[in-house]
Amino acid sequence: MKPRNGRRGGARRSSPLSQETIVAAALRILDSEGPQQLSMRRLARELSITPMALYHHVRDRHELLLLLVASRSQGRARPVLPEDPRERLLAAAQLLHDVLAQYPFLNEILASPDLLAVSALWVMEALLDAAVECGLTLEEAAQAHQALWHFTVGVLLIRTTSRQHHAELTRPTEREQVFATLSPAAFPRVTSLADRWSALTARDTHREALEDIVEGLLGGRPAHPGEHT
């Protein structure tokens, strides 16, 4: 994404304002204060400029976050994926999760149509290619990618939102309060799990679920190593 033409920052700045200097300042705020403190107004103060000057280079917070993802993705070494197409599909899907999980601010933009193209386009290519080599048509591979993308986004959104919510809670959750009032006669399954529900659902089962989804998407299709569409 090329810098927009615009005015320089406030009088206290000695160098021209650019998207590169803006991203560097935003990363400083992220590292020292956390994602909750990163706002356009806070960023303008960090750069000693007015918010209006900042908006000449970055349209809004959404674009800023996309720029941060792109900045942290640049120059990152690409891991070698397995030769076996089924294992490569699993590895690419896992990598999609692992790459996105590195950004604590992504819960705001995970549904953005710009995100994958900015941060992990090569992962998308690897996932599609592996799916085709596993016997899917290219159209079926696109649907498989979409299913894995939705699963990954859902996992990350629920995880980040849940962590933030629990960090702010000073009382039992609404679910815990409701579970405590349920009748075992009316809800035998729920009440039998009620005291263990939080522990059970807090487990990280992403990989097991991912393997189940890939198995369901591929079924018994034979792989075709080396076949490209």
Side-chain angles (χ1 to χ4, degrees):
M1 195 177 295
K2 294 182 180 180
R4 293 187 178 86
N5 293 325
R7 296 180 301 179
R8 297 190 174 190
R12 286 177 286 176
R13 293 192 54 81
S14 59
S15 59
L17 187 64
S18 67
Q19 284 191 342
E20 288 73 19
T21 57
I22 291 169
V23 166
L27 288 173
R28 289 196 301 271
I29 296 171
L30 277 178
D31 292 339
S32 62
E33 302 176 26
Q36 289 76 27
Q37 300 304 314
L38 180 60
S39 66
M40 299 297 277
R41 189 172 297 277
R42 171 67 186 88
L43 183 56
R45 290 203 310 271
E46 179 74 13
L47 291 164
S48 299
I49 59 173
T50 65
M52 185 60 67
L54 182 59
Y55 285 116
H56 277 283
H57 295 268
V58 179
R59 183 173 56 250
D60 51 26
R61 179 181 164 88
H62 181 92
E63 184 180 25
L64 174 64
L65 296 180
L66 290 173
L67 288 170
L68 289 171
V69 173
S71 173
R72 287 195 166 176
S73 299
Q74 287 176 355
R76 181 169 292 155
R78 297 182 183 181
V80 177
L81 299 179
E83 288 292 330
D84 178 78
R86 186 175 293 247
E87 290 302 314
R88 190 172 353 120
L89 178 58
L90 267 172
Q94 181 67 52
L95 185 61
L96 180 64
H97 168 274
D98 295 346
V99 167
L100 296 177
Q102 297 175 30
Y103 305 100
F105 49 80
L106 273 187
N107 58 315
E108 296 182 41
I109 56 172
L110 275 172
S112 168
D114 302 317
L115 180 58
L116 185 62
V118 171
S119 64
L121 188 58
W122 72 271
V123 180
M124 179 182 183
E125 176 69 22
L127 198 154
L128 290 171
D129 186 66
V132 169
E133 289 198 38
C134 283
L136 301 185
T137 66
L138 191 55
E139 291 73 18
E140 290 171 336
Q143 293 174 357
H145 172 273
Q146 193 74 349
L148 292 167
W149 171 253
H150 286 168
F151 169 65
T152 300
V153 168
V155 167
L156 294 173
L157 276 174
I158 291 171
R159 183 185 302 159
T160 55
T161 303
S162 178
R163 285 176 180 171
Q164 182 177 352
H165 180 67
H166 280 281
E168 297 170 353
L169 271 181
T170 57
R171 56 167 176 79
T173 65
E174 186 68 20
R175 182 177 60 204
E176 290 168 340
Q177 295 179 60
V178 170
F179 278 7
T181 67
L182 293 180
S183 163
F187 300 95
R189 304 296 187 189
V190 174
T191 53
S192 67
L193 290 170
D195 61 342
R196 294 181 291 145
W197 189 261
S198 294
L200 287 171
T201 56
R203 292 172 52 237
D204 184 358
T205 58
H206 169 263
R207 179 66 186 196
E208 293 91 333
L210 182 60
E211 291 174 356
D212 290 341
I213 292 171
V214 169
E215 183 64 27
L217 289 169
L218 299 182
R221 295 171 189 261
H224 303 290
E227 184 174 302
H228 297 270
T229 299

